[in-house]
Amino acid sequence: MIDHASLAARVDEAARTATAIDQLSQGEPTLTLEDATRIQALSIDRRLARGEALIGLKVGFTSRAKMIQMGVHDLIIGRLTDAMGITDGGETARRRYVHPRAEPEIAFRLKARLEGRVSAMDALAAVDAVAPAIELIDSRYKNFKFSLADVVADNSSSSGFVIGGWAKPSAELDNLGMILSINGRPREIGSSSALLGHPLRCLVEAARLAADAGLALEPGWVVMAGAATAAVALTPGDYIEAQTQGLGRAAFRLGA
Ligand code: OOG
Ligand code: MG
């Protein structure tokens, strides 16, 4: 029998103390995606018990660039809490992470509930605003290596997020150029159409995957659509900026 609560405590402690651990599947070779989904929920319950608030979800592996970089080919979700937020233009400390990476994303803010199977039109109607965003991912596993179940149990590597200025939603969200720059030098260049062909499809998938985990996307929530490019490893002092054509930019500095 897999002890979900104790595995949730293990990934939660690893995240809280920025300590690398072995993949859960090494000790539990039968770990399934269902187990991992349960472990993720329990690990976030521990954060909520410490006073953090659940403010949304992120979807992962919505682009081929990410699937190829990480060797995982299924869509996943992770939970976002208020404590993971980094102020646009602000700073977060390197010591809070095991091996931080940044990736350029698009964020949606919802004004209506999305639950289960929804259409792209339903998703668009539920969007209050969109923004350029950066996700700071950090696997708690040694060498940033994991199986699908491992990464889901580890809250899908969610660690931090930066959101630029919110703008009114428009259906013209596909084919927007996206650039991730580090210290003013472009490091990854992509397009919003890398995100399942259209970032709104990521919202549709988020609603479906959330329902599998017993959740609905709630009004006021933020949903991150996933990285359009591969993620870039960060070094203390780095200034990270993501720019999305027509939406603007989001940025932060990684402190010591
Ligand atoms: C898992 C998270 C994937 C994305 O945007 O595709 C993700 C990882 O790469 O560690 O956040
Ligand atoms: Mg991401």
Side-chain angles (χ1 to χ4, degrees), residues 135-163:
E135 187 177 25
L136 191 168
I137 53 168
D138 185 33
S139 177
R140 269 53 69 160
Y141 301 120
K142 290 174 187 161
N143 305 315
F144 224 117
K145 287 226 168 63
F146 42 67
S147 68
L148 176 66
D150 286 311
V151 67
V152 168
D154 182 30
N155 200 26
S156 299
S157 307
S158 282
S159 287
F161 58 87
V162 188
I163 305 213

Side-chain angles (χ1 to χ4, degrees), residues 91-132:
E91 185 169 310
T92 186
R94 168 67 180 85
R95 69 184 127 73
R96 296 182 61 187
Y97 313 98
V98 180
H99 28 215
R101 295 180 179 182
E103 48 190 32
E105 304 217 2
I106 287 174
F108 294 104
R109 189 175 67 203
L110 302 184
K111 61 183 176 195
R113 203 158 193 262
L114 285 173
E115 188 168 18
R117 302 262 171 190
V118 299
S119 68
M121 289 305 285
D122 297 331
L124 179 60
V127 173
D128 182 31
V130 300

Side-chain angles (χ1 to χ4, degrees), residues 61-212:
F61 302 128
T62 48
S63 71
R64 280 193 54 74
K66 280 291 301 186
M67 292 184 201
I68 291 165
Q69 183 179 34
M70 302 315 296
V72 174
H73 298 260
D74 295 271
L75 298 180
I76 59 176
I77 54 169
R79 288 154 163 90
L80 304 177
T81 73
D82 56 350
M84 296 176 191
I86 302 164
T87 310
D88 186 21
E91 185 169 310
T92 186
R94 168 67 180 85
R95 69 184 127 73
R96 296 182 61 187
Y97 313 98
V98 180
H99 28 215
R101 295 180 179 182
E103 48 190 32
E105 304 217 2
I106 287 174
F108 294 104
R109 189 175 67 203
L110 302 184
K111 61 183 176 195
R113 203 158 193 262
L114 285 173
E115 188 168 18
R117 302 262 171 190
V118 299
S119 68
M121 289 305 285
D122 297 331
L124 179 60
V127 173
D128 182 31
V130 300
I134 304 171
E135 187 177 25
L136 191 168
I137 53 168
D138 185 33
S139 177
R140 269 53 69 160
Y141 301 120
K142 290 174 187 161
N143 305 315
F144 224 117
K145 287 226 168 63
F146 42 67
S147 68
L148 176 66
D150 286 311
V151 67
V152 168
D154 182 30
N155 200 26
S156 299
S157 307
S158 282
S159 287
F161 58 87
V162 188
I163 305 213
W166 291 109
K168 283 291 137 210
S170 99
E172 316 290 309
L173 288 174
D174 57 330
N175 215 10
L176 304 178
M178 296 175 71
I179 304 173
L180 181 73
S181 304
I182 313 281
N183 303 322
R185 287 181 50 208
R187 292 286 299 277
E188 291 289 338
I189 297 176
S191 160
S192 62
S193 46
L195 299 165
L196 300 178
H198 194 301
L200 272 177
R201 291 210 188 109
C202 303
L203 196 48
V204 169
E205 293 303 316
R208 181 181 64 78
L209 292 164
D212 291 346

